[in-house]
Amino acid sequence: MDTFPTDRPATVTAAPTPHRRRVATAAALASAVEWYDYFVFGIAAALVLGDLYFPAGSPTAGVLASFATFAVGFLARPLGGIVAGHLGDKRGRKPMLVLALTLMGVATTGIGLLPTYDTIGVAAPVLLVTLRVVQGLAVGAQWGGAMLLATEYAPEGKRGVYGSVVQLGVPIGVVTANSVFLLAGAFTTDSAFAAWGWRMPFLVGLFVLVLAWYIHTRVEETPAFREAERTLAEKEKSERGSPLRTVLRDHLGTVLLAGGSFAVNTATFYILITGVLDYTTRELGMNRGAVLTVSLCVSLTQLVLIPASAALSDRVGRIKIYAFGAVGIAVWAVPLFLLIDTGSLLWLAVGTFVASCFLSIMYGPQAALFAELFTPEMRYTGASLGYQIAAVGGGGLAPFVMVLLLEATGTSMSVAAYIVGLSAIALVSIKVLSDRARSR
């Protein structure tokens, strides 16, 4: 029987306030550095990777190839979520988070050091795809671990706020990734940027390994997991049911509804930070640095809106806030691209700012909502699967689909229609989750 969302946090053993703050800070930093590493690839895919690693064919073909490589990372995310979720529900949240951070640091640094097609031939794109897969595995494992470290330490009535510190990792990662690329572009010529300047943001990935060590040595396992361990202590570990088997057998509907509810958010987000970057610079002839600056400034607003919407969800309920954001995304899809098509930086900023507001409103309560869909012994697996299904169906393919739609139709309204269609799926999924909550 499927579980259903609740606005009441599970009862857990209280942790001292200083340790809660340390855990919340560690979870936020883990999310920020992990997403930074993930996003620098998306920006590089829009700007340079097509020419450097997929040089054959037209510029459009090169961009499609680099965006396809970008999407490969999303295809790997469910596998990372499944493996880390299964082990995280049986062995603990912290070890999986440390492993995810280590994998991400190694993969991102490897991309920064990877020779190009002109140097090693076809091995270059093969290795690029391989390292992108490792990035996907890492981020698929990371989100559940960081989210549960935060929410399972949350005091009563504040699960939304604590979960939002992990969600803040996304705008922090975007701001940092854009800032580093802007600096790399500012201090290099166009030829130097294409030759080596783009590599500098990837080499920052080494700092992820430092954070992994800190979490390993200074952060304790979550109270909710320790409570689940005590509850199941009478069974031998070898006799415990597989969390993955339990989720797929008894809670698959909840996983699919969670994924369906979130796909529009992640798709629109990646359209804004990668698809629009390619569209405005390649098709509309806008300045790369100016577009990156707009993306950076818009992302800063999310640092306020995400925790604000999460705090509101602690008071009025997750579903109401979540649904409001989904409706806003649907309504704003067409005006967004009408403004972008003007080629004006001002209207680009206005359009993406309003879209970002609705994304933040939806994203703020999402961590707490997904955590509350599942009990502690299967929470890592269930929440991670729901999130990563949305990431594949929405975010991973979105920039690729955007380029295909623009090439096939010649109008950005086709991309707006794509967003509206995903919004409809989200609203239906949210309605079913809400109906289940009321009926039970």
Side-chain angles (χ1 to χ4, degrees), residues 14 116-117 133 156 177 220 292 298 340:
T116 64
Y117 186 93
V133 168
E156 186 173 356
E220 297 177 3
L292 283 172
V298 168
I340 291 173

Side-chain angles (χ1 to χ4, degrees), residues 247-270:
V247 167
L248 294 180
R249 182 187 64 221
D250 300 332
H251 308 282
L252 181 60
T254 300
V255 169
L256 295 177
L257 288 169
S261 74
F262 191 61
V264 65
N265 187 289
T266 187
T268 305
F269 174 78
Y270 283 103

Side-chain angles (χ1 to χ4, degrees), residues 33 36-49 52-53 70 104-114 128 131-132 135 176-177 180-181 184 193 196-208:
V33 297
Y36 165 83
D37 283 0
Y38 203 65
F39 293 150
V40 291
F41 191 100
I43 296 173
L47 297 178
V48 296
L49 294 186
L52 295 175
Y53 291 91
F70 177 70
M104 182 62 83
V106 170
T108 303
T109 304
I111 293 171
L113 298 174
L114 185 64
L128 183 67
L131 291 170
R132 181 59 178 170
Q135 279 194 320
T176 309
V180 174
F181 265 100
F193 180 83
W196 58 266
W198 68 271
R199 297 180 181 276
M200 303 308 295
F202 287 90
L203 298 180
V204 177
L206 286 169
F207 291 103
V208 181

Side-chain angles (χ1 to χ4, degrees), residues 278-297:
D278 168 65
Y279 177 58
T280 53
T281 55
R282 185 168 57 88
E283 298 289 342
L284 301 182
M286 299 176 72
N287 178 266
R288 178 187 68 203
V291 174
L292 283 172
T293 301
V294 168
S295 178
L296 185 154
C297 293

Side-chain angles (χ1 to χ4, degrees), residues 6-367:
T6 174
D7 293 325
R8 299 185 305 272
T11 300
V12 296
T13 304
T17 298
H19 189 69
R20 278 178 176 159
R21 291 173 180 166
R22 183 196 308 161
V23 170
T25 301
L29 288 174
S31 178
V33 297
E34 192 92 348
W35 286 117
Y36 165 83
D37 283 0
Y38 203 65
F39 293 150
V40 291
F41 191 100
I43 296 173
L47 297 178
V48 296
L49 294 186
D51 292 336
L52 295 175
Y53 291 91
F54 307 96
S58 67
T60 299
V63 171
L64 282 172
S66 65
F67 276 161
T69 305
F70 177 70
V72 164
F74 286 81
L75 296 176
R77 282 171 61 171
L79 179 59
I82 288 171
V83 173
H86 176 80
L87 295 175
D89 282 329
K90 294 181 76 70
R91 307 299 181 191
R93 291 37 169 138
K94 189 181 80 169
M96 293 303 102
L97 180 57
V98 171
L99 176 61
L101 290 168
T102 303
L103 286 175
M104 182 62 83
V106 170
T108 303
T109 304
I111 293 171
L113 298 174
L114 185 64
T116 64
Y117 186 93
D118 288 343
T119 303
I120 60 173
V122 72
V126 170
L127 290 172
L128 183 67
V129 171
T130 301
L131 291 170
R132 181 59 178 170
V133 168
V134 176
Q135 279 194 320
L137 292 171
V139 83
Q142 174 272 145
W143 182 80
M147 179 270 290
L148 293 180
L149 272 184
T151 58
E152 291 186 346
Y153 266 105
E156 186 173 356
K158 293 187 177 180
R159 176 172 278 182
V161 171
Y162 270 64
S164 72
V165 303
V166 175
Q167 308 298 73
L168 285 175
V170 171
I172 292 172
V174 172
V175 168
T176 309
N178 278 296
S179 298
V180 174
F181 265 100
L182 282 170
L183 288 172
F187 288 98
T188 59
T189 63
D190 287 346
S191 59
F193 180 83
W196 58 266
W198 68 271
R199 297 180 181 276
M200 303 308 295
F202 287 90
L203 298 180
V204 177
L206 286 169
F207 291 103
V208 181
L209 302 177
V210 178
L211 181 60
W213 173 83
Y214 175 84
I215 292 175
H216 175 68
T217 57
R218 299 295 301 276
V219 174
E220 297 177 3
E221 191 52 77
T222 71
F225 179 78
R226 295 198 303 267
E227 186 67 28
E229 283 271 280
R230 285 193 291 269
T231 301
L232 298 173
E234 66 276 6
K235 295 183 179 180
E236 293 294 331
K237 288 185 182 289
S238 60
E239 295 177 356
R240 295 183 189 177
S242 162
L244 176 61
R245 186 182 304 115
T246 301
V247 167
L248 294 180
R249 182 187 64 221
D250 300 332
H251 308 282
L252 181 60
T254 300
V255 169
L256 295 177
L257 288 169
S261 74
F262 191 61
V264 65
N265 187 289
T266 187
T268 305
F269 174 78
Y270 283 103
I271 285 173
L272 290 180
I273 69 164
T274 58
V276 168
L277 176 60
D278 168 65
Y279 177 58
T280 53
T281 55
R282 185 168 57 88
E283 298 289 342
L284 301 182
M286 299 176 72
N287 178 266
R288 178 187 68 203
V291 174
L292 283 172
T293 301
V294 168
S295 178
L296 185 154
C297 293
V298 168
S299 295
L300 286 173
T301 65
Q302 294 184 305
L303 299 177
V304 176
L305 291 171
I306 287 176
S309 64
L312 187 60
S313 77
D314 282 330
R315 297 175 62 87
V316 305
R318 319 278 183 231
I319 292 291
K320 292 178 182 177
I321 305 301
Y322 199 63
F324 180 79
V327 170
I329 293 171
V331 171
W332 190 247
V334 170
L336 168 65
F337 281 96
L338 290 175
L339 293 174
I340 291 173
D341 284 343
T342 65
S344 163
L345 276 177
L346 174 61
W347 291 122
L348 170 67
V350 171
T352 54
F353 168 72
V354 175
S356 179
C357 288
F358 289 122
L359 290 176
S360 300
I361 289 169
M362 193 177 181
Y363 197 55
Q366 183 255 343

